Amino acid sequence: MGCVNGKCCSPCQPTSDGESREYREATPYSVQGKHILTQIPLESVSVPSHNFHLEYSVLTQRGYYPDSPDKQNQDSFCIRTQIQGNPNIHFFGVFDGHGHYGTECSNFVKDRLVEILADDPSFSDDPVKAFNLAFLATNRELHVSDIDDSLSGTTAITVLVVGDRLFVANVGDSRAVIAVKHGNRIVAEDLSNDQTPFRKDEYERVKQSGARVLTVDQVEGFSDPNIQTWGDEESQGCDPPRLWEQNETYPGTAFTRSVGDWTAEQIGVVADPEVSVVQLTANHLFFVVASDGVFQFLSSRAVVNMVARYTDPRDACSAIAGESYKKWLEHETRTDDITIIIVQIKGFSNLDGDGSNGTNIRATRSRRETSEISITSVSELYRSVRSGFSVLQPCQHVVSTNRSLGIIVPSLERARSLEWWASQPCFGSFSYAHMCVCVCINIHLSICTIFC
């Protein structure tokens, strides 16, 4: 959830916290290792120091903006393997731009952050310190660049794999979550903590910096501005507390940390990341890095549950994107941009333990959400359900172009009907719950809605 001009502000229903129940088994669709809808191979990278490998996929999709059909996808992502030429160090990041120049901001940050990080000579010795310095340096560079970041910027959620440890650095309200096997259950554990005024510590910090913290309804006089107690993000997610200059109606950010946003910096928005460190064990199955377009209406638990249904992370990306779009259109007439990176941890075995412990997270507060999926062995964790699409370009910002794969968004009336979603045949015999996927060749995404 970003600035007031770029995210939803109207009242809506609480975030769904349960897992979706409408997915159906389907036939695997791949040809010689390539996804049949995209002909893109599944990416994999090894971590030789601990003899495991990562299989990953990424999807980025422009939101559905009926009032702004030419609006760009302001999300971007970066996947960089073998940082500093080291085969044991890999970077995954998602950047959610906002404001008029949000696209430019997210592109700038996804390029410069990893470059500054990789150029730090102390990086290998102290990744946490290097992460902090890289975020602050990137923020300073954005301020002095040709990009006007006075009322624009980007959030950033990044995961650095260093051998058998994850370093997770977060600025803003996008999120990373990891799946952990606990007995016959899968537990979703947040690797980051959303930085918003819902958090008491962040609320107090920005108040001390001079911010007014009010919802849009309070600013517009529909609610009492003297009430300074908030529910949680799930119950008040679409009219959240925001940051405002004293006696002004800007900037209206719903986050308390970001890169850029020079004006908001004057009232306490900072680029200092919160960094958590995770020691991997054999019980860690996969992690997800995604923009808040996913987590606005889906809980961490729901996302982990969906990923656990699929062998191929490309299919899981498509399923989450489809469910996210459906949830947005149940409450809004538009959707947010959506970007998802899913990284499966394959072949990990503890060198000095039995793998009985869960996630060891330091320097952050993390919620634990127990999945409702029960398993009797790791091999039974996944079901082979494949359809959908992915876009996989390392360190490349992807926008809706004239020649791209697109999610086909139905009319609002049809979107509200689960029966309609489940009944749509796309790609001939392909049937995909909640989402109709078509290949749009030389047709803009907003126009493609008429073909489903």
Side-chain angles (χ1 to χ4, degrees):
M1 185 172 295
C3 65
V4 69
N5 295 321
K7 302 288 182 176
C8 76
C9 303
S10 59
C12 70
Q13 297 299 317
T15 301
S16 172
D17 196 45
E19 66 172 299
S20 173
R21 294 189 295 267
E22 293 99 0
Y23 288 97
R24 301 188 300 272
E25 293 286 343
T27 303
Y29 297 116
S30 62
V31 178
Q32 295 182 344
K34 293 185 177 181
H35 205 262
I36 196 168
L37 301 184
T38 62
Q39 289 297 290
I40 295 176
L42 180 64
E43 296 294 322
S44 178
V45 64
S46 296
V47 182
S49 64
H50 287 79
N51 197 33
F52 69 95
H53 68 279
L54 307 172
E55 288 186 352
Y56 58 88
S57 181
V58 58
L59 178 152
T60 187
Q61 177 63 44
R62 188 182 80 92
Y64 173 58
Y65 304 100
D67 296 329
S68 303
D70 296 324
K71 187 178 184 297
Q72 287 183 307
N73 181 356
Q74 294 186 309
D75 283 2
S76 64
F77 66 88
C78 181
I79 296 174
R80 184 77 63 84
T81 58
Q82 300 188 12
I83 301 294
Q84 294 184 341
N86 191 325
N88 299 298
I89 304 177
H90 313 290
F91 178 91
F92 303 88
V94 170
F95 307 88
D96 184 353
H98 50 262
H100 187 73
Y101 299 103
T103 301
E104 291 82 354
C105 288
S106 67
N107 270 307
F108 181 94
V109 174
K110 62 98 174 173
D111 288 333
R112 287 299 295 147
L113 179 65
V114 69
E115 291 171 358
I116 294 171
L117 189 66
D119 289 340
D120 189 332
S122 65
F123 168 70
S124 298
D125 297 328
D126 193 345
V128 174
K129 179 181 178 181
F131 244 146
N132 278 279
L133 293 176
F135 269 87
L136 295 177
T138 303
N139 190 53
R140 289 193 298 268
E141 288 191 10
L142 180 57
H143 286 341
V144 299
S145 71
D146 293 333
I147 301 170
D148 180 2
D149 71 339
S150 57
L151 291 171
S152 299
T154 184
T155 63
I157 178 68
T158 61
V159 176
L160 186 68
V161 181
V162 182
D164 63 344
R165 290 190 296 172
L166 304 183
F167 294 85
V168 183
N170 179 49
V171 169
D173 55 1
S174 292
R175 191 180 304 173
V177 59
I178 195 165
V180 188
K181 179 175 176 284
H182 281 272
N184 67 340
R185 298 176 300 155
I186 303 169
V187 173
E189 294 185 354
D190 286 336
L191 300 178
S192 61
N193 196 350
D194 299 356
Q195 297 151 354
T196 73
F198 285 109
R199 279 176 48 177
K200 184 177 180 181
D201 58 339
E202 290 292 283
Y203 168 81
E204 295 293 344
R205 184 179 62 78
V206 296
K207 287 281 285 185
Q208 291 177 6
S209 297
R212 288 194 305 156
V213 182
L214 301 170
T215 67
V216 170
D217 280 352
Q218 288 176 316
V219 169
E220 295 180 346
F222 296 110
S223 300
D224 185 355
N226 295 316
I227 298 175
Q228 291 284 284
T229 56
W230 321 110
D232 55 30
E233 193 164 0
E234 282 71 25
S235 64
Q236 199 176 351
C238 283
D239 188 21
R242 297 175 179 269
L243 279 59
W244 313 88
E245 289 271 7
Q246 295 293 329
N247 303 313
E248 300 291 349
T249 56
Y250 63 85
T253 60
F255 46 79
T256 55
R257 304 193 190 200
S258 70
V259 182
D261 292 296
W262 183 87
T263 300
E265 277 191 5
Q266 314 313 305
I267 54 173
V269 173
V270 296
D272 302 74
E274 290 183 314
V275 182
S276 62
V277 184
V278 179
Q279 181 71 50
L280 291 177
T281 75
N283 289 330
H284 291 109
L285 306 174
F286 57 83
F287 61 87
V288 179
V289 186
S291 61
D292 81 314
V294 170
F295 293 108
Q296 180 72 17
F297 295 109
L298 292 177
S299 68
S300 298
R301 180 175 64 191
V303 169
V304 164
N305 286 354
M306 280 190 281
V307 175
R309 292 190 178 92
Y310 297 88
T311 302
D312 192 325
R314 293 169 294 188
D315 302 320
C317 282
S318 298
I320 292 169
E323 184 72 359
S324 298
Y325 267 66
K326 182 179 78 71
K327 293 295 185 183
W328 272 95
L329 291 174
E330 285 178 354
H331 306 300
E332 298 289 322
T333 58
R334 53 170 286 273
T335 76
D336 198 3
D337 302 327
I338 290 172
T339 301
I340 314 155
I341 300 174
I342 297 174
V343 183
Q344 294 179 341
I345 303 167
K346 299 283 191 174
F348 188 94
S349 61
N350 287 356
L351 300 179
D352 55 0
D354 60 5
S356 60
N357 293 327
T359 308
N360 179 16
I361 301 179
R362 302 196 304 273
T364 190
R365 294 156 299 280
S366 178
R367 297 187 300 272
R368 174 175 294 184
E369 298 185 300
T370 303
S371 166
E372 298 175 8
I373 296 178
S374 296
I375 55 178
T376 57
S377 67
V378 175
S379 63
E380 295 176 3
L381 171 63
Y382 300 104
R383 300 176 187 175
S384 181
V385 185
R386 300 182 182 179
S387 62
F389 64 94
S390 65
V391 181
L392 230 172
Q393 298 292 332
C395 277
Q396 178 175 338
H397 172 72
V398 181
V399 298
S400 178
T401 63
N402 285 337
R403 193 174 184 85
S404 66
L405 291 169
I407 293 177
I408 307 307
V409 183
S411 66
L412 182 60
E413 291 76 17
R414 286 183 172 182
R416 295 185 188 281
S417 169
L418 296 183
E419 292 77 11
W420 183 88
W421 283 98
S423 67
Q424 295 307 298
C426 285
F427 291 99
S429 62
F430 290 19
S431 180
Y432 188 52
H434 310 330
M435 185 174 75
C436 187
V437 181
C438 291
V439 179
C440 301
I441 304 298
N442 296 321
I443 302 175
H444 194 278
L445 173 65
S446 62
I447 301 176
C448 286
T449 58
I450 64 175
F451 292 103
C452 262

